[in-house]
Amino acid sequence: MRDKGVVLAVDLGTTATKVVAVDPRARVLRSTERGYPMRTTPSGEATQDPDEVLAAALAAVSEVALACAGDGQGVRALVLTGALHTLLGLDGSGRPVTPSLSWADRRAVEQVARLRAGDGVALHRATGTPVHTMSPLVKLRWFAEHGVQAHRWCGLKDYVFAHLTGVLATEHSSGSATGLMDLRALDWHPGALAHARVRAEQLPELHAPTASFPLRAVVDGVAPGTPVVLGGGDGPLANLGVGAIVPGVAALSLGTSGALRVVSPEPAVDERGRVFCYAIGDGLWTVGGAVSNGGVVASWAAESFGADVVELLDEAARVPVGASGVTALPYLLGERAPWWDADATSAVVGLRREHGRAELTRALVEGVAQQLALVLDAVRSVAEVRLVRATGGALRHELWASVLCAALDVPLEITEDTGGSAVGAALLAWRSLGELDSLAGTADLVVPERRYEPDPAAAAHYAAARPGVERLYEALRAI
């Protein structure tokens, strides 16, 4: 088969942009990464400088493109993905007038409370986005109530795309995570716009995720006119990147935070409003939930105890299932699914004199796994799940993989953590280029590295303990 070149997938993350070169068989041939800070304050601000992110993306694209040229591989297309729920304002010339607010920005707490007391449930079901401080809908309302105005509003990915192509556009995947898009009409939702106090013409054009526009910016190593594919959100495209694109197979990602999602052929939100619903493309949707706390709990424990994180996890792995009676609600960064409670705080229950850092660390890891199991319970109200495909840096340690497998009580297959969302975005681009017949047909392209079967005794313990986790959260929230 002749060399078909590569697609460069640009993954605009919260603290770094990763660029990977991917062939039509989903193989990662080249990759690089450029970091940048996320600025936070005690008041809940969590922002990025959009021009720092843009500069990092351009530098990373050029590095990989030139390396591919040296390998004799041409760049067929660029495609973008990135963290969902970002928001920034632009002036009439397309320059930023605000920082880019990340999903972690928590300043819209009052706006969330008021919306939940009114039309929040109805808007969640219509748009697929839970009413939470992460949502651009409530961020826009916060801006409006603080007198911040802009000519246009967009996500961080949209800003980078506009620089590359001259077109301010987004796609149904990122659009479905704004709280502003009607899932069924695939257009901006009038009621949501009214609540956010914006007009449709102030938002980017909406297109299919496979839509593309020609490259107009000068990017070393990439020819002018090369297609730039809109792509989609990092969460939905992670399903595609790990091969969890068919019914019954869920995708789980575990880095600093975590998420669990399953693919559905139609948009759906559970009756209790515990899950989100975001588009992938080709008429496919992801239903699931993100948790704010993943590997961050082990990093926090290591920092607090002055220990190496791997050594501390090794110690925790020697503690029996159940952490010798210690239970942790691991809400260091508030919590998203299934509570959608940005004000949630951590708690440790059952601590005694004989317990130490190993038991506390094990309890935190188990707490994250139980939270993801609660998300799985919610997902199962709308879709079957019989296997989980997982990726993420935290899963390099055996403790995370074994505890998660037991808490979820389904087989767990680990895929390499260098691809994920970026590989999914690349496959979307190959679909846009006509090299793939369908997205669903990509499921067999990704081969897992490891497989775990749930330990029956551990799975039974976690299942029996999970209702207590829910009761504990409810009780502590009340006080």
Side-chain angles (χ1 to χ4, degrees):
M1 185 177 72
R2 68 179 179 86
D3 178 21
K4 294 186 177 181
V6 295
V7 161
L8 300 191
V10 185
D11 187 355
L12 305 162
T14 303
T15 57
T17 285
K18 177 185 290 185
V19 174
V20 299
V22 183
D23 72 7
R25 300 295 300 170
R27 293 177 297 190
V28 176
L29 305 181
R30 289 275 185 172
S31 68
T32 195
E33 192 170 299
R34 292 285 193 282
Y36 36 75
M38 181 172 74
R39 296 169 178 84
T40 60
T41 66
S43 64
E45 178 180 350
T47 63
Q48 298 158 287
D49 182 327
D51 286 325
E52 284 183 345
V53 175
L54 174 61
L58 294 174
V61 167
S62 292
E63 179 186 334
V64 175
L66 292 171
C68 288
D71 296 336
Q73 295 162 325
V75 175
R76 293 281 304 279
L78 301 178
V79 61
L80 301 186
T81 184
L84 293 170
H85 314 300
T86 59
L87 178 71
L88 66 146
L90 305 175
D91 64 18
S93 62
R95 296 293 305 143
V97 295
T98 72
S100 175
L101 276 62
S102 90
W103 64 266
D105 194 292
R106 297 183 294 105
R107 286 176 286 177
V109 173
E110 292 181 11
Q111 290 72 21
V112 166
R114 292 202 303 270
L115 184 53
R116 283 185 172 177
D119 298 331
V121 173
L123 282 175
H124 182 177
R125 290 174 179 163
T127 66
T129 305
V131 178
H132 184 270
T133 53
M134 67 183 184
S135 170
L137 184 157
V138 297
K139 290 183 173 91
L140 283 166
R141 183 63 178 249
W142 184 89
F143 272 131
E145 293 179 4
H146 284 77
V148 179
Q149 298 182 353
H151 180 71
R152 304 286 296 273
W153 296 96
C154 68
L156 185 55
K157 183 175 79 68
D158 310 331
Y159 176 68
V160 174
F161 188 86
H163 176 85
L164 294 172
T165 65
V167 179
L168 186 63
T170 195
E171 23 61 39
H172 301 139
S173 179
S174 299
S176 58
T178 62
L180 301 166
M181 193 189 89
D182 188 314
L183 293 179
R184 289 157 184 85
L186 297 180
D187 201 355
W188 300 121
H189 187 284
L193 296 179
H195 185 84
R197 297 183 180 175
V198 295
R199 304 182 308 277
E201 56 267 28
Q202 290 181 277
L203 301 177
E205 302 172 10
L206 277 167
H207 295 272
T210 50
S212 68
F213 294 83
L215 176 67
R216 292 185 180 177
V218 176
V219 180
D220 289 343
V222 186
T226 297
V228 184
V229 181
L230 276 165
D234 58 353
L237 293 187
N239 275 67
L240 189 57
V242 299
I245 198 71
V246 294
V249 182
L252 185 149
S253 54
L254 190 68
T256 301
S257 58
L260 187 145
R261 304 162 301 272
V262 69
V263 170
S264 171
E266 58 186 26
V269 175
D270 73 305
E271 285 300 313
R272 291 169 56 187
R274 294 172 292 172
V275 299
F276 57 61
C277 181
Y278 304 146
I280 300 176
D282 265 13
L284 300 174
W285 301 80
T286 53
V287 177
V291 299
S292 297
N293 304 275
V296 68
V297 303
S299 301
W300 173 85
E303 292 164 7
S304 301
F305 290 119
D308 176 79
V309 67
V310 174
E311 291 178 2
L312 190 56
L313 289 169
D314 287 343
E315 291 179 24
R318 294 192 286 271
V319 174
V321 171
S324 299
V326 181
T327 298
L329 298 185
Y331 308 145
L332 298 175
L333 300 173
E335 193 48 285
R336 286 181 285 174
W339 318 132
W340 304 108
D341 183 357
D343 290 331
T345 55
S346 296
V348 178
V349 176
L351 196 64
R352 300 181 68 90
R353 175 66 182 84
E354 62 268 21
H355 296 138
R357 66 185 195 178
E359 286 81 8
L360 181 57
T361 302
R362 171 117 197 175
L364 287 165
V365 169
E366 291 183 342
V368 171
Q370 289 284 49
Q371 199 70 22
L372 285 163
L374 287 168
V375 175
L376 178 59
D377 291 343
V379 167
R380 279 183 163 147
S381 68
V382 295
E384 174 198 12
V385 177
R386 50 182 170 73
L387 173 70
V388 171
R389 284 274 184 92
T391 187
L395 293 165
R396 294 172 191 155
H397 198 282
E398 193 81 6
L399 177 65
W400 277 111
S402 60
V403 170
L404 266 173
C405 185
L408 299 175
D409 198 16
V410 293
L412 185 72
E413 294 181 344
I414 312 293
T415 64
E416 66 169 328
D417 59 13
T418 58
S421 303
V423 171
L427 291 173
L428 198 69
W430 284 118
R431 172 75 171 128
S432 175
L433 293 169
E435 298 289 350
L436 297 175
D437 293 333
S438 71
L439 295 181
T442 65
D444 296 331
L445 293 178
V446 180
V447 179
E449 294 181 335
R450 292 175 282 151
R451 180 182 171 99
Y452 293 82
E453 296 290 338
D455 176 82
H461 172 87
Y462 293 132
R466 200 145 50 247
V469 173
E470 292 189 89
R471 291 196 301 271
L472 183 57
Y473 164 74
E474 293 291 347
L476 292 177
R477 184 176 65 170
I479 59 173

